[in-house]
Coordinates of all heavy atoms in Angstrom, one line a residue:
A368 N -1.6 34.5 -9.0 CA -0.9 34.2 -7.8 C -0.4 32.8 -7.8 O -1.0 31.9 -8.5 CB -1.8 34.4 -6.6
V369 N 0.7 32.5 -7.1 CA 1.2 31.1 -7.0 C 0.9 30.7 -5.5 O 1.2 31.4 -4.6 CB 2.7 31.1 -7.2 CG1 3.2 29.7 -7.0 CG2 3.0 31.5 -8.6
I370 N 0.2 29.6 -5.4 CA -0.2 29.1 -4.1 C 0.5 27.7 -3.9 O 0.4 26.8 -4.7 CB -1.7 28.9 -3.9 CG1 -2.4 30.2 -4.2 CG2 -2.1 28.3 -2.6 CD1 -3.9 30.1 -4.4
T371 N 1.2 27.6 -2.7 CA 1.9 26.3 -2.4 C 1.3 25.7 -1.2 O 1.0 26.5 -0.2 CB 3.4 26.4 -2.3 OG1 3.7 27.3 -1.2 CG2 4.0 26.9 -3.6
V372 N 1.2 24.4 -1.1 CA 0.6 23.7 0.1 C 1.5 22.5 0.3 O 1.7 21.7 -0.6 CB -0.8 23.3 -0.1 CG1 -1.4 22.6 1.1 CG2 -1.7 24.4 -0.6
V373 N 2.0 22.4 1.5 CA 2.8 21.2 1.9 C 2.4 20.8 3.3 O 2.2 21.6 4.2 CB 4.3 21.5 1.9 CG1 5.2 20.4 2.3 CG2 4.8 22.0 0.5
G374 N 2.3 19.5 3.5 CA 2.0 18.9 4.8 C 1.6 17.5 4.7 O 1.5 16.9 3.6
K375 N 1.2 16.9 5.9 CA 0.8 15.5 5.9 C -0.5 15.4 5.2 O -1.4 16.2 5.3 CB 0.6 15.1 7.4 CG 0.3 13.7 7.6 CD 0.5 13.2 9.0 CE 0.1 11.8 9.2 NZ 0.7 10.8 8.3
D376 N -0.5 14.3 4.3 CA -1.7 14.1 3.5 C -2.9 13.7 4.3 O -2.9 12.9 5.2 CB -1.4 12.9 2.5 CG -2.5 12.8 1.5 OD1 -3.1 13.8 1.1 OD2 -2.7 11.6 1.1
T377 N -4.0 14.4 4.1 CA -5.3 14.1 4.7 C -6.4 14.4 3.7 O -6.2 15.1 2.7 CB -5.6 15.0 5.9 OG1 -5.6 16.4 5.5 CG2 -4.6 14.8 7.0
V378 N -7.6 13.9 3.9 CA -8.7 14.0 3.0 C -9.1 15.5 3.0 O -9.3 16.1 4.0 CB -9.9 13.1 3.5 CG1 -11.1 13.4 2.6 CG2 -9.5 11.7 3.4
G379 N -9.3 16.0 1.8 CA -10.0 17.3 1.7 C -9.1 18.5 1.5 O -9.6 19.7 1.5
I380 N -7.8 18.4 1.5 CA -6.9 19.5 1.4 C -7.2 20.3 0.1 O -7.4 21.5 0.2 CB -5.4 19.2 1.4 CG1 -5.1 18.5 2.8 CG2 -4.5 20.4 1.2 CD1 -3.7 17.9 2.8
L381 N -7.2 19.7 -1.0 CA -7.5 20.3 -2.3 C -8.8 21.0 -2.3 O -9.0 22.2 -2.7 CB -7.4 19.4 -3.5 CG -7.7 19.9 -4.8 CD1 -6.8 21.1 -5.2 CD2 -7.6 18.8 -5.9
A382 N -9.8 20.3 -1.8 CA -11.2 20.8 -1.7 C -11.3 22.1 -0.9 O -11.9 23.1 -1.2 CB -12.2 19.8 -1.2
K383 N -10.6 22.1 0.3 CA -10.7 23.2 1.2 C -10.0 24.4 0.6 O -10.5 25.6 0.6 CB -10.2 22.9 2.6 CG -10.3 24.0 3.6 CD -11.7 24.5 3.8 CE -11.8 25.6 4.8 NZ -13.1 26.1 5.0
V384 N -8.8 24.2 0.1 CA -8.0 25.3 -0.4 C -8.7 25.9 -1.7 O -8.9 27.1 -1.8 CB -6.5 24.9 -0.8 CG1 -5.8 26.0 -1.5 CG2 -5.8 24.5 0.5
S385 N -9.2 25.1 -2.5 CA -9.9 25.6 -3.7 C -11.2 26.2 -3.3 O -11.7 27.2 -3.9 CB -10.2 24.5 -4.7 OG -10.9 23.4 -4.2
G386 N -11.8 25.8 -2.2 CA -13.1 26.4 -1.6 C -12.8 27.8 -1.1 O -13.6 28.7 -1.4
I387 N -11.7 28.0 -0.5 CA -11.3 29.4 0.0 C -11.1 30.3 -1.2 O -11.5 31.4 -1.2 CB -10.0 29.3 0.9 CG1 -10.3 28.6 2.2 CG2 -9.5 30.7 1.1 CD1 -9.1 28.2 3.0
C388 N -10.5 29.7 -2.3 CA -10.3 30.5 -3.5 C -11.7 30.9 -4.1 O -11.9 32.1 -4.4 CB -9.5 29.7 -4.5 SG -7.8 29.5 -4.1
A389 N -12.6 29.9 -4.2 CA -13.9 30.2 -4.8 C -14.7 31.2 -4.0 O -15.4 32.1 -4.6 CB -14.7 28.9 -4.9
E390 N -14.6 31.1 -2.6 CA -15.3 32.1 -1.8 C -14.9 33.5 -2.1 O -15.6 34.5 -1.9 CB -15.0 31.8 -0.3 CG -15.7 30.6 0.2 CD -15.1 30.2 1.6 OE1 -14.4 31.0 2.2 OE2 -15.5 29.1 2.1
N391 N -13.7 33.7 -2.6 CA -13.1 35.0 -2.8 C -13.0 35.4 -4.3 O -12.3 36.3 -4.7 CB -11.7 35.1 -2.2 CG -11.8 35.1 -0.7 OD1 -12.3 36.0 -0.1 ND2 -11.3 34.0 -0.1
K392 N -13.7 34.6 -5.2 CA -13.8 34.8 -6.6 C -12.4 34.7 -7.2 O -12.1 35.4 -8.2 CB -14.5 36.1 -7.0 CG -15.8 36.3 -6.4 CD -16.8 35.4 -7.1 CE -18.2 35.7 -6.6 NZ -18.9 34.6 -6.0
I393 N -11.6 33.8 -6.7 CA -10.3 33.5 -7.3 C -10.3 32.2 -8.0 O -10.7 31.2 -7.5 CB -9.2 33.5 -6.1 CG1 -9.1 34.9 -5.5 CG2 -7.9 33.0 -6.6 CD1 -8.3 35.0 -4.3
N394 N -10.0 32.3 -9.3 CA -10.1 31.1 -10.2 C -8.8 30.3 -10.3 O -7.8 30.9 -10.6 CB -10.5 31.6 -11.6 CG -10.8 30.4 -12.5 OD1 -11.4 29.4 -12.1 ND2 -10.4 30.5 -13.8
I395 N -8.8 29.1 -10.0 CA -7.6 28.2 -10.1 C -7.5 27.8 -11.6 O -8.4 27.2 -12.2 CB -7.7 27.0 -9.2 CG1 -7.9 27.4 -7.8 CG2 -6.5 26.1 -9.5 CD1 -8.3 26.3 -6.9
T396 N -6.4 28.2 -12.2 CA -6.2 28.0 -13.6 C -5.3 26.7 -13.9 O -5.5 26.1 -14.9 CB -5.6 29.2 -14.3 OG1 -4.4 29.5 -13.7 CG2 -6.6 30.4 -14.3
E397 N -4.4 26.4 -13.0 CA -3.6 25.2 -13.1 C -3.3 24.7 -11.7 O -3.2 25.5 -10.7 CB -2.2 25.6 -13.8 CG -2.4 25.9 -15.2 CD -1.1 26.0 -15.9 OE1 -0.2 25.1 -15.8 OE2 -0.9 27.1 -16.6
V398 N -3.2 23.4 -11.6 CA -2.8 22.8 -10.3 C -2.0 21.5 -10.6 O -2.3 20.8 -11.5 CB -4.1 22.5 -9.5 CG1 -5.0 21.5 -10.2 CG2 -3.7 22.0 -8.1
T399 N -1.0 21.3 -9.8 CA -0.3 20.1 -9.8 C -0.1 19.6 -8.3 O 0.1 20.5 -7.4 CB 1.1 20.2 -10.5 OG1 1.7 18.9 -10.5 CG2 2.0 21.2 -9.8
Q400 N -0.3 18.4 -8.1 CA -0.2 17.8 -6.7 C 0.4 16.5 -6.8 O 0.3 15.7 -7.8 CB -1.5 17.8 -6.0 CG -2.5 16.8 -6.6 CD -3.7 16.8 -5.8 OE1 -4.2 17.8 -5.2 NE2 -4.3 15.6 -5.6
S401 N 1.1 16.1 -5.7 CA 1.6 14.7 -5.6 C 1.6 14.4 -4.1 O 1.6 15.3 -3.2 CB 2.9 14.6 -6.2 OG 3.9 15.4 -5.6
V402 N 1.6 13.1 -3.8 CA 1.8 12.6 -2.5 C 3.1 11.8 -2.4 O 3.2 10.8 -3.2 CB 0.6 11.8 -2.0 CG1 0.8 11.3 -0.6 CG2 -0.7 12.6 -2.1
L403 N 4.0 12.3 -1.6 CA 5.3 11.6 -1.5 C 5.3 10.9 -0.2 O 5.4 11.5 0.9 CB 6.4 12.6 -1.6 CG 6.4 13.5 -2.8 CD1 7.4 14.7 -2.6 CD2 6.7 12.8 -4.0
E404 N 5.1 9.6 -0.2 CA 4.8 8.8 1.0 C 3.6 9.3 1.6 O 2.5 9.2 1.1 CB 6.1 8.7 1.9 CG 7.2 7.9 1.3 CD 8.3 7.6 2.2 OE1 8.1 7.7 3.4 OE2 9.4 7.3 1.7
D405 N 3.7 10.0 2.8 CA 2.5 10.6 3.4 C 2.5 12.1 3.3 O 1.7 12.8 4.0 CB 2.3 10.1 4.8 CG 3.4 10.5 5.7 OD1 4.5 11.0 5.2 OD2 3.2 10.5 7.0
M406 N 3.4 12.7 2.5 CA 3.5 14.1 2.4 C 2.8 14.7 1.2 O 3.1 14.3 0.1 CB 5.0 14.5 2.3 CG 5.3 16.0 2.4 SD 4.8 16.8 4.0 CE 5.9 16.0 5.1
F407 N 1.8 15.6 1.4 CA 1.0 16.2 0.3 C 1.8 17.4 -0.1 O 2.1 18.3 0.7 CB -0.3 16.5 0.9 CG -1.2 17.2 -0.1 CD1 -2.0 16.5 -1.0 CD2 -1.3 18.6 -0.2 CE1 -2.8 17.1 -1.9 CE2 -2.2 19.2 -1.1 CZ -2.9 18.5 -2.0
C408 N 1.9 17.6 -1.4 CA 2.6 18.7 -2.0 C 1.7 19.2 -3.2 O 1.3 18.4 -4.1 CB 4.0 18.4 -2.6 SG 5.1 17.6 -1.3
M409 N 1.4 20.5 -3.2 CA 0.6 21.1 -4.3 C 1.0 22.5 -4.6 O 1.4 23.3 -3.8 CB -0.9 21.1 -3.8 CG -1.8 21.7 -4.8 SD -3.6 21.5 -4.4 CE -3.7 22.5 -2.9
I410 N 1.0 22.8 -5.9 CA 1.2 24.1 -6.4 C 0.0 24.5 -7.3 O -0.4 23.7 -8.2 CB 2.5 24.2 -7.3 CG1 3.7 23.8 -6.4 CG2 2.7 25.6 -7.8 CD1 5.0 23.6 -7.2
M411 N -0.5 25.7 -7.1 CA -1.6 26.2 -7.8 C -1.3 27.5 -8.5 O -0.6 28.3 -7.9 CB -2.9 26.4 -7.0 CG -3.4 25.2 -6.2 SD -4.7 25.7 -5.1 CE -5.9 24.5 -5.5
L412 N -1.8 27.7 -9.7 CA -1.7 29.0 -10.3 C -3.1 29.5 -10.3 O -4.0 28.8 -10.8 CB -1.1 28.9 -11.7 CG -0.7 30.2 -12.4 CD1 0.3 31.0 -11.6 CD2 -0.2 29.9 -13.8

């Protein structure tokens, strides 16, 4: 699956999204993220 996350940057976004994946036995194989000014952008495979 491809997972995209976009929004205002705050602490813990990556941790929470990956936690939801882990709770459901979904393994994150690749991740890229960047913060553009205060905008958080992430794509996970």
